[in-house]
Amino acid sequence: MIDLKKLYYYPSAPKGGYTNPYSENYKLGMADYYHVLDDKNKPSGMKSLWFLWYSFKADVFIVNWLDSVCFLRFSFLQFLFAELALFVIVIRGKRIVWMLHNIHPHEGDNWMSKKINASLLKQSKAIIVHSHLAEEYARSLHAESVYYRCHPIDMSRVTERIAKTHYPNYDIFIWGTIFPYKGVREFLSSEVVKSSDFSVLVIGICHDRTLADQIAELCNDRVHYENRKIEFSELAQRISCCKYVLFPYIGDCVSSSGALIDTICMNGNAVGPNVGAFRDLSDFGVCHTYNDYNELALLLKDYSEIDFEKRDAFICTNGWKQFCNFVHQIVEK
C-alpha cells in the first residue's frame, strides 16, 4: 500500500459546518492524491488553533481565507496562532498552497491581516487564484508562482434546461447570503429600479438586522425580499422563471464568486460588474457584465441570453476533478 503524504485543508469545518460546498469538494478531490486529515468535517472551535495543531502533522497545506481570523473573536490570539503555525510549517520544510480568493478580506484590512498575507506571500510554494484580477494583484506584490484557474464546478449542481415552473416570473433575481459588499441595498435604491418597471426578487439570509431592514423598506409591489436561505432544488426553478440573475457587487475586494458558478450551472443568465471572475467569465461568453448603473439599465432592458454551447463547453473543462489534478501537479513540481 502506498504511503500517501498527509494534507491539511484550512479552515476546518466550523461549528455549524461548511456553509457552501467549496471546502468539502476540495477535500474530496484531493483525497485522490493525499491522505486528507480532518476529512470527516467534524465541527471545530478556534480556527487558528486547529491550524496550529495540524501544522505539526501534515506535509501539504491548502490555505484559504486565513487573514479573516483577524476579525474573529480573540483576534490577536488568533493572529498569533496563525503566524506560529506558518512558522512551524516552514521550519518543518512542508509545502503551502495559498488560495487567494479576495484582494483583501470582506471585513477590510488591518495590520494583522496584512502581516498574515505577507507571510503567506513569502512562504507559499504556490498561489492559486480564481480570477485574473487576483492574479494581477499577486504579481504586483512580486509573487512568483501564481496560477490562475477558474472556480471549479460542482458537477452535481449542473442541471438541464427546465421549463418554467409554477413560481412567478421576475425580470431580475438576486440570491445568496447578503453582505454589504454584495450591493443589494444600493441596487434597489438606484434609478435602475426606481425609474423602471422591472420586477425584482431577492432571496437570501441577512444576519445584519439593520441592512435587512433597509432592504425591506425598499420593497413594493414590484420588489420582493425573502430573508431566508434558498435550497438548490428551489433555486434551479427560480432561475428558470427570471430573465436575469444579478450580482450587483460593489467595492474592490471581490475577486471570484461561487454563486456565479452555481448560477451558470443552473442555466442562469448571469449579470455582474465588469471585475474579477465576472469579467473572466464574460470573456468565456457565459456571463454579462456592466461598468456602471447606466450600462446595467441598458443591458437589463435589451434582453439577451448567454451562448449555451459555450456554457456546456465551459462546464466540461472546469470540474473539481480537473482542478484537483492541477493542484496536485503544482504541489509535486
Side-chain angles (χ1 to χ4, degrees), residues 64-303:
N64 303 257
W65 310 291
L66 183 60
D67 51 4
S68 293
V69 301
C70 302
F71 304 93
L72 301 176
R73 191 180 182 190
F74 306 119
S75 58
F76 183 66
L77 186 59
Q78 298 244 32
F79 162 74
L80 292 178
F81 286 154
E83 281 289 305
L84 181 56
L86 293 173
F87 176 75
V88 170
I89 294 168
V90 171
I91 291 299
R92 294 180 62 231
K94 304 305 179 180
R95 298 175 178 180
I96 298 172
V97 174
W98 180 19
M99 299 300 305
L100 179 56
H101 293 277
N102 301 306
I103 305 304
H104 56 74
H106 293 309
E107 301 88 346
D109 259 327
N110 60 30
W111 70 269
M112 291 184 291
S113 65
K114 291 178 180 178
K115 177 62 174 66
I116 285 178
N117 286 342
S119 297
L120 285 169
L121 182 69
K122 181 179 179 180
Q123 298 170 12
S124 297
K125 174 180 175 59
I127 301 172
I128 300 178
V129 297
H130 291 320
S131 76
H132 288 300
L133 176 65
E135 180 183 18
E136 293 169 6
Y137 171 71
R139 294 194 186 282
S140 74
L141 301 176
H142 307 292
E144 296 181 359
S145 300
V146 183
Y147 302 88
Y148 164 74
R149 195 76 171 187
C150 181
H151 188 300
I153 292 168
D154 183 347
M155 294 301 179
S156 69
R157 297 193 172 187
V158 177
T159 60
E160 299 296 328
R161 273 161 275 181
I162 60 177
K164 291 184 178 181
T165 65
H166 63 278
Y167 288 113
N169 293 337
Y170 284 89
D171 296 311
I172 302 163
F173 178 42
I174 300 172
W175 72 275
T177 305
I178 295 176
F179 297 103
Y181 76 88
K182 292 193 174 181
V184 176
R185 178 181 62 83
E186 287 78 3
F187 170 70
L188 294 181
S189 61
S190 72
E191 290 301 313
V192 179
V193 176
K194 288 183 176 181
S195 300
S196 71
D197 58 358
F198 294 136
S199 56
V200 183
L201 174 63
V202 181
I203 301 180
I205 193 165
C206 182
H207 299 290
D208 182 333
R209 181 172 296 179
T210 299
L211 179 58
D213 289 343
Q214 291 172 340
I215 293 172
E217 289 174 0
L218 295 167
C219 293
N220 52 44
D221 58 343
R222 293 184 296 105
V223 179
H224 301 273
Y225 171 47
E226 298 179 21
N227 189 345
R228 64 180 176 87
K229 180 180 179 180
I230 186 169
E231 299 300 329
F232 276 87
S233 57
E234 178 187 350
L235 179 59
Q237 297 179 56
R238 292 285 188 180
I239 287 175
S240 73
C241 295
C242 71
K243 291 182 178 179
Y244 287 107
V245 179
L246 176 63
F247 299 89
Y249 292 8
I250 57 176
D252 59 358
C253 64
V254 176
S255 170
S256 61
S257 170
L260 170 61
I261 297 297
D262 285 336
T263 296
I264 293 170
C265 288
M266 296 183 182
N267 302 291
N269 204 20
V271 180
N274 190 29
V275 296
F278 296 100
R279 178 184 296 171
D280 298 336
L281 297 193
S282 176
D283 292 339
F284 276 107
V286 295
C287 176
H288 306 287
T289 58
Y290 62 90
N291 290 296
D292 53 40
Y293 280 155
N294 289 331
E295 283 191 12
L296 176 58
L298 292 175
L299 192 157
L300 295 173
K301 290 176 182 176
D302 186 19
Y303 178 72

Side-chain angles (χ1 to χ4, degrees), residues 33-53:
Y33 309 98
Y34 301 99
H35 171 50
V36 178
L37 303 176
D38 191 32
D39 62 335
K40 302 303 181 183
N41 299 323
K42 293 181 179 179
S44 61
M46 186 178 287
K47 290 183 177 182
S48 58
L49 183 58
W50 280 98
F51 185 36
L52 177 59
W53 170 262

